[in-house]
């Protein structure tokens, strides 16, 4: 072989090898054209927390954005996490998510998927729905952030089961012994009760649903109590036979719900309790007028200003139909004026406990117009201190009558009386309560002590014992005629019935 032939053969070989390499490269590029890896995007919740306020009407839209548009169809699974506290019948979600999770097909080119969630507002308090991305297939993956979202859903305010009453207390006032008061009513309201309401009244009180049939107990079905307010009637049965204030209550219980209680009070009065007549003074000292401490010296003695402008004895005495001391003997007149004047007293058996009464007829001719007035009659203790002073004053031409426990402020009756008119006045002191009272009667007294005094006071010191009754004469204009005095330990004996 010559040199030329050999050279040509080498060039040919190199050309062939170059062509083969080019073919291999072209073939490789052709294959790579069908195996280029796709760009994989992610999916997530737009926010990891949402809130739905109570009574929100518009649904909440929950968006799950994709980081890249899908280059092919993909599948994503959304499920409800076990940390959720809301029940399935307390909200709606579209599309609905079954227990096993919701599988969604996302089309090529999709950039997001969304849900609509609404609260049914049929629960109390706050509840939570937790959604999570379970898995994703196709050209998509679950993002590392916001792979779950918690939706806080606010319901109605929490309502605690309760028994309520429209009144916390009822006072029946004074009721004559042996009778039943007029009924009073209140309203019972049940809130989310699950047990019947048991209504129970204590002794001396009764309850009713129809204001006709009364008893000590009632049962109200809880569904009835929850549905609408219930009117309950109650009354006071004054049947103890003792003059006293009676307290009680009506309880309303329903299962474990705290009880509701209505307190009750009633005053039973009119029991004509027996007592002792301690002293009676009808001023029967003859038909001739004169000085009380002279004609009645066996009973009355001066303790101040003896013989100076003495207390007068006059005839005839005062009258008031129906009073035991009316029209018997004469009467005594205490009259204020200038200078020192005689004061006189009459002793009686000491009283140091229970209740003491004094009844007497009065006829006031004149009284001072000062705010505090002046007193003409009083009890005294062994130390000669005055208690239950009977005061009078002139207010615009009308007579006001009051009582002072001691030297403290006087309590005057709200009623205006007439000068020159005879009244029966009963004063009372209760050693147990320290209360001084007066009753002013214009007609015959009853066997039953009135439930309410015309004036009362507990202000001031009280006596440890009372031993006599006295007339006082002072400077000023007060002029009082007194007759038919009775001192007793009961109303019945004091008024002579």
């Amino acid at each position: 072989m010559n040199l030329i032939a050999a050279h040509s053969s080498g060039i040919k070989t190199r050309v062939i090898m170059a062509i083969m390499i080019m073919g291999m490269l072209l073939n490789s590029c052709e294959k790579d054209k069908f195996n280029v890896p796709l760009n994989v995007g992610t999916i997530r919740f737009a926010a990891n927390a949402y809130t739905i306020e109570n009574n929100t009407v518009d649904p909440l839209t929950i968006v799950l954005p994709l980081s890249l548009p899908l280059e092919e169809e993909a599948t994503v699974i959304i499920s409800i996490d076990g940390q959720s506290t809301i029940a399935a019948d307390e909200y709606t979600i579209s599309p609905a998510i079954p227990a096993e999770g919701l599988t969604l097909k996302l089309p090529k080119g999709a950039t997001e998927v969304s849900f609509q969630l609404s609260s049914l507002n049929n629960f109390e308090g706050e509840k939570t729905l937790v959604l999570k991305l379970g898995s994703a297939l196709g050209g998509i993956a679950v993002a590392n952030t916001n792979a779950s979202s918690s939706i806080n859903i606010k319901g109605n305010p929490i309502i605690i089961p309760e028994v309520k009453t429209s009144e916390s207390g009822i006072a029946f006032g004074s009721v004559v012994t042996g009778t039943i008061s007029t009924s009073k009513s209140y309203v019972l309201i049940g809130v989310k009760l699950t047990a019947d309401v048991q209504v129970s009244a204590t002794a001396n009180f009764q309850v009713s649903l129809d204001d006709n049939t009364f008893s000590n107990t009632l049962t109200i079905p809880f569904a009835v109590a929850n549905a609408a307010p219930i009117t309950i009637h109650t009354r006071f049965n004054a049947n103890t036979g003792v003059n006293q204030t009676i307290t009680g209550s009506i309880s309303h219980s329903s299962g474990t719900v705290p009880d509701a209680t209505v307190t009750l009070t009633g005053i039973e009065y009119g029991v004509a309790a027996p007592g002792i007549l301690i002293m009676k003074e009808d001023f029967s000292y003859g038909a001739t007028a004169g000085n009380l401490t002279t004609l009645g010296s066996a009973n009355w003695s001066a303790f101040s200003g003896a013989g100076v402008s003495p207390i007068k004895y006059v005839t005839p005495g005062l009258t008031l139909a129906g009073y035991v001391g009316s029209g018997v003997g004469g009467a005594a007149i205490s009259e204020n004026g200038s200078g020192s004047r005689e004061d006189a007293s009459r002793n009686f058996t000491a009283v140091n406990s229970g209740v003491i009464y004094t009844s007497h007829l009065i006829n006031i001719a004149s009284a001072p117009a000062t705010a505090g007035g002046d007193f003409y009659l009083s009890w005294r203790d062994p130390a000669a201190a005055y208690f239950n002073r009977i005061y009078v004053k002139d207010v615009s031409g009308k007579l006001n009558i009051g009582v002072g426990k001691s030297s403290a402020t006087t309590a005057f009756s709200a009623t205006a009386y007439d000068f020159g008119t005879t009244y029966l006045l009963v004063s009372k002191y209760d050693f147990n309560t320290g209360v001084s009272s007066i009753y002013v009667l214009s007609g015959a007294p009853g066997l039953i002590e009135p439930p309410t005094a015309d004036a009362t006071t507990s202000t001031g010191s009280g006596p440890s014992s009372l031993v006599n009754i006295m007339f006082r004469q002072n400077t000023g204009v007060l002029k009082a005629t007194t007759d038919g005095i009775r001192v007793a330990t009961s109303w019945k004996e004091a008024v002579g019935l």
Side-chain angles (χ1 to χ4, degrees), residues 282-283 286-289 313-319 327-333 481-483:
D282 288 324
F283 299 99
T288 303
Y313 168 73
V314 297
T315 60
L318 299 176
T319 60
V328 180
I333 295 179
T481 302
T482 305
D483 193 8

Side-chain angles (χ1 to χ4, degrees), residues 15 59 116 156 224-225 261 309 325 327 337 378 477:
V15 170
Q116 286 195 327
N156 299 313
V224 175
T261 301
S309 297
S378 175
V477 297

Side-chain angles (χ1 to χ4, degrees), residues 182-221:
T182 301
S183 67
K184 296 191 176 186
S185 64
Y186 62 96
V187 174
L188 170 73
I189 301 170
V191 179
K192 293 185 67 178
L193 302 179
T194 58
D196 293 346
V197 181
Q198 304 299 326
V199 183
S200 181
T202 56
N204 300 106
F205 300 96
Q206 297 175 317
V207 287
S208 171
L209 290 176
D210 60 6
D211 203 18
N212 183 33
T213 302
F214 283 82
S215 64
N216 293 108
T217 60
L218 297 171
T219 298
I220 301 174

Side-chain angles (χ1 to χ4, degrees), residues 381-400:
D381 69 0
Y386 303 149
F387 294 95
N388 264 45
R389 307 180 187 201
I390 307 302
Y391 283 83
V392 291
K393 66 179 179 178
D394 185 332
V395 179
S396 301
K398 284 292 187 176
L399 174 65
N400 275 194

Side-chain angles (χ1 to χ4, degrees), residues 468-490:
N468 65 44
I469 190 167
M470 56 80 68
F471 287 117
R472 176 178 182 266
Q473 298 186 118
N474 194 9
T475 58
V477 297
L478 192 158
K479 182 177 181 179
T481 302
T482 305
D483 193 8
I485 300 175
R486 296 173 66 89
V487 179
T489 59
S490 72

Side-chain angles (χ1 to χ4, degrees), residues 2-68:
N2 58 30
L3 293 174
I4 294 174
H7 180 71
S8 297
S9 178
I11 292 173
K12 183 178 179 181
T13 298
R14 289 194 293 272
V15 170
I16 292 172
M17 292 180 66
I19 292 171
M20 291 176 65
I21 292 171
M22 289 292 293
M24 292 174 66
L25 290 173
L26 289 172
N27 186 55
S28 175
C29 289
E30 187 68 22
K31 290 180 179 180
D32 288 344
K33 180 176 69 173
F34 297 101
N35 292 282
V36 175
L38 297 174
N39 293 321
V40 178
T42 60
I43 187 170
R44 62 182 178 83
F45 288 96
N48 63 3
Y50 295 89
T51 296
I52 299 179
E53 298 293 339
N54 179 39
N55 293 323
T56 299
V57 177
D58 297 330
L60 171 68
T61 299
I62 301 173
V63 178
L64 292 85
L66 281 65
S67 62
L68 295 172

Side-chain angles (χ1 to χ4, degrees), residues 75-116:
T75 301
V76 63
I77 297 176
I78 299 175
S79 61
I80 299 174
D81 190 82
Q83 298 180 27
S84 300
T85 59
I86 194 168
D89 59 355
E90 295 172 340
Y91 72 96
T92 58
I93 188 168
S94 180
I97 301 177
E100 65 274 12
L102 176 66
T103 300
L104 292 177
K105 300 291 186 179
L106 279 66
K108 180 179 179 180
T111 58
E112 67 179 28
V113 65
S114 62
F115 295 87
Q116 286 195 327

